[in-house]
Amino acid sequence: MEKEPHHHPQNASQTHYTGPLDLDKTIDKLISGSALPQSDLEELLHAAKEMLRSESSLIEIKAPITVVGDIHGEISTLQEIFNVCGKPPFTNFLFLGDYINRGNHGIEVLCTLLAYKLKHRNRIHLLRGHSECRDWAKKFGFHDECIRKYDGHHIWQLFIELFPCFPIAAVI
């Protein structure tokens, strides 16, 4: 059972995404730990990049909000966070980065959050962590995950282009 929101601004949860992806089906697939078809992943990353580029590098967020730290590619951790705290739009979230590396599902973790961000732009906020850079992502396994699951270099490059678009700080 999902929790009711403490604060639900009018129209805050409406999606701005108008592309071909069914975001609900995309989220369901990703949160289960399943990979998206490459064309869907490419669409998601392009849409997320455009949305994130439109945000300030310092975002201002109103409380109440659930602040979440490092997930590091552990889809079971993300599932548990949503089970305990509720999912967007019923809970507002600020994720502090470090979505990838070390775990086996960095792509699915990050893309689940990106899909939620596209669907509920004002209810979920994603900052850039130190893992979301070329050197750390290559050193700690995300590059290998991209190669293993997809046409690696192309997908890897899309993520590398996405990382600098994330906001770097938030004021609550």
Side-chain angles (χ1 to χ4, degrees):
M1 183 169 165
E2 293 184 335
K3 293 182 177 185
E4 289 299 314
H6 296 288
H7 176 68
H8 191 72
Q10 189 173 353
N11 297 327
S13 67
Q14 291 182 355
T15 183
H16 297 280
Y17 175 74
T18 57
L21 288 179
D22 179 326
L23 291 175
D24 291 323
K25 287 181 182 176
T26 299
I27 290 166
D28 288 345
K29 185 171 186 107
L30 288 164
I31 197 68
S32 73
S34 299
L36 291 178
Q38 185 160 324
S39 61
D40 289 355
L41 177 62
E42 290 171 359
E43 169 62 26
L44 179 69
L45 294 176
H46 286 297
K49 180 179 175 184
E50 291 307 308
M51 179 195 48
L52 290 170
R53 290 175 82 180
S54 72
E55 293 188 346
S56 172
S57 60
L58 171 64
I59 53 177
E60 295 184 28
I61 305 168
K62 294 184 185 221
I65 191 149
T66 300
V67 180
V68 180
D70 306 11
I71 299 173
H72 283 298
E74 297 294 339
I75 198 73
S76 60
T77 299
L78 185 59
Q79 292 166 342
E80 185 64 15
I81 289 165
F82 289 148
N83 286 337
V84 170
C85 300
K87 297 176 184 172
F90 300 107
T91 303
N92 295 323
F93 285 98
L94 171 61
F95 286 87
L96 303 178
D98 294 344
Y99 313 107
I100 61 170
N101 291 337
R102 299 187 183 112
N104 293 323
H105 293 96
I107 293 172
E108 293 79 16
V109 164
L110 179 52
C111 289
T112 297
L113 296 173
L114 291 171
Y116 268 124
K117 178 72 174 164
L118 286 167
K119 186 169 175 60
H120 305 291
R121 182 177 190 153
N122 297 321
R123 307 293 263 162
I124 184 167
H125 306 279
L126 308 172
L127 297 182
R128 183 179 182 180
H130 69 271
S131 288
E132 286 78 44
C133 74
R134 177 185 300 272
D135 291 344
W136 282 81
K138 193 157 192 170
K139 181 177 181 178
F140 291 103
F142 188 67
H143 176 264
D144 294 338
E145 181 180 344
C146 291
I147 299 293
R148 188 173 61 252
K149 292 181 180 178
Y150 292 98
D151 171 17
H153 191 72
H154 175 67
I155 293 300
W156 164 251
Q157 192 60 41
L158 291 177
F159 278 109
I160 294 305
E161 292 169 7
L162 175 74
F163 293 157
C165 300
F166 282 95
I168 58 172
V171 175
I172 300 173

mmCIF file of all heavy atoms in Angstrom, residues 29 35-42 150:
data_model
loop_
_atom_site.group_PDB
_atom_site.id
_atom_site.type_symbol
_atom_site.label_atom_id
_atom_site.label_comp_id
_atom_site.label_asym_id
_atom_site.label_seq_id
_atom_site.Cartn_x
_atom_site.Cartn_y
_atom_site.Cartn_z
ATOM 1 N N LYS A 29 9.346 -2.494 -15.511
ATOM 2 C CA LYS A 29 10.396 -3.375 -16.049
ATOM 3 C C LYS A 29 11.727 -3.122 -15.343
ATOM 4 O O LYS A 29 12.397 -4.044 -14.902
ATOM 5 C CB LYS A 29 10.525 -3.167 -17.554
ATOM 6 C CG LYS A 29 11.503 -4.109 -18.217
ATOM 7 C CD LYS A 29 11.422 -4.003 -19.723
ATOM 8 C CE LYS A 29 12.294 -5.040 -20.355
ATOM 9 N NZ LYS A 29 11.604 -6.136 -20.967
ATOM 10 N N ALA A 35 16.420 -5.438 -18.000
ATOM 11 C CA ALA A 35 16.979 -4.452 -18.918
ATOM 12 C C ALA A 35 15.928 -4.011 -19.928
ATOM 13 O O ALA A 35 15.064 -4.793 -20.327
ATOM 14 C CB ALA A 35 18.187 -5.042 -19.642
ATOM 15 N N LEU A 36 16.023 -2.769 -20.332
ATOM 16 C CA LEU A 36 15.167 -2.245 -21.395
ATOM 17 C C LEU A 36 15.758 -2.611 -22.749
ATOM 18 O O LEU A 36 16.981 -2.776 -22.869
ATOM 19 C CB LEU A 36 15.107 -0.717 -21.325
ATOM 20 C CG LEU A 36 14.386 -0.072 -20.166
ATOM 21 C CD1 LEU A 36 14.508 1.447 -20.272
ATOM 22 C CD2 LEU A 36 12.932 -0.489 -20.118
ATOM 23 N N PRO A 37 14.924 -2.693 -23.786
ATOM 24 C CA PRO A 37 15.486 -2.769 -25.134
ATOM 25 C C PRO A 37 16.353 -1.523 -25.370
ATOM 26 O O PRO A 37 16.070 -0.446 -24.844
ATOM 27 C CB PRO A 37 14.248 -2.747 -26.040
ATOM 28 C CG PRO A 37 13.111 -3.167 -25.166
ATOM 29 C CD PRO A 37 13.464 -2.710 -23.784
ATOM 30 N N GLN A 38 17.403 -1.663 -26.150
ATOM 31 C CA GLN A 38 18.344 -0.562 -26.348
ATOM 32 C C GLN A 38 17.655 0.689 -26.880
ATOM 33 O O GLN A 38 17.966 1.800 -26.441
ATOM 34 C CB GLN A 38 19.484 -0.979 -27.271
ATOM 35 C CG GLN A 38 20.528 0.118 -27.390
ATOM 36 C CD GLN A 38 21.868 -0.350 -27.878
ATOM 37 O OE1 GLN A 38 22.293 -1.446 -27.545
ATOM 38 N NE2 GLN A 38 22.535 0.482 -28.645
ATOM 39 N N SER A 39 16.706 0.541 -27.793
ATOM 40 C CA SER A 39 16.038 1.729 -28.344
ATOM 41 C C SER A 39 15.252 2.468 -27.264
ATOM 42 O O SER A 39 15.224 3.707 -27.248
ATOM 43 C CB SER A 39 15.126 1.340 -29.510
ATOM 44 O OG SER A 39 14.121 0.442 -29.075
ATOM 45 N N ASP A 40 14.628 1.738 -26.343
ATOM 46 C CA ASP A 40 13.901 2.378 -25.240
ATOM 47 C C ASP A 40 14.871 3.069 -24.289
ATOM 48 O O ASP A 40 14.594 4.168 -23.791
ATOM 49 C CB ASP A 40 13.063 1.360 -24.467
ATOM 50 C CG ASP A 40 11.864 0.859 -25.245
ATOM 51 O OD1 ASP A 40 11.602 1.363 -26.362
ATOM 52 O OD2 ASP A 40 11.178 -0.055 -24.740
ATOM 53 N N LEU A 41 15.992 2.435 -24.016
ATOM 54 C CA LEU A 41 17.001 3.032 -23.146
ATOM 55 C C LEU A 41 17.524 4.330 -23.762
ATOM 56 O O LEU A 41 17.649 5.349 -23.074
ATOM 57 C CB LEU A 41 18.147 2.053 -22.902
ATOM 58 C CG LEU A 41 19.305 2.584 -22.051
ATOM 59 C CD1 LEU A 41 18.837 2.958 -20.653
ATOM 60 C CD2 LEU A 41 20.408 1.544 -21.987
ATOM 61 N N GLU A 42 17.800 4.308 -25.052
ATOM 62 C CA GLU A 42 18.276 5.506 -25.736
ATOM 63 C C GLU A 42 17.250 6.632 -25.631
ATOM 64 O O GLU A 42 17.599 7.782 -25.346
ATOM 65 C CB GLU A 42 18.597 5.201 -27.194
ATOM 66 C CG GLU A 42 19.814 4.329 -27.366
ATOM 67 C CD GLU A 42 20.010 3.839 -28.789
ATOM 68 O OE1 GLU A 42 19.190 4.157 -29.677
ATOM 69 O OE2 GLU A 42 21.006 3.123 -29.025
ATOM 70 N N TYR A 150 24.563 -3.988 -23.193
ATOM 71 C CA TYR A 150 24.128 -3.273 -24.401
ATOM 72 C C TYR A 150 25.274 -3.170 -25.385
ATOM 73 O O TYR A 150 26.372 -3.629 -25.136
ATOM 74 C CB TYR A 150 23.635 -1.861 -24.026
ATOM 75 C CG TYR A 150 22.357 -1.879 -23.228
ATOM 76 C CD1 TYR A 150 22.375 -1.759 -21.844
ATOM 77 C CD2 TYR A 150 21.126 -2.041 -23.860
ATOM 78 C CE1 TYR A 150 21.204 -1.782 -21.108
ATOM 79 C CE2 TYR A 150 19.952 -2.068 -23.140
ATOM 80 C CZ TYR A 150 19.996 -1.937 -21.762
ATOM 81 O OH TYR A 150 18.837 -1.972 -21.045
#
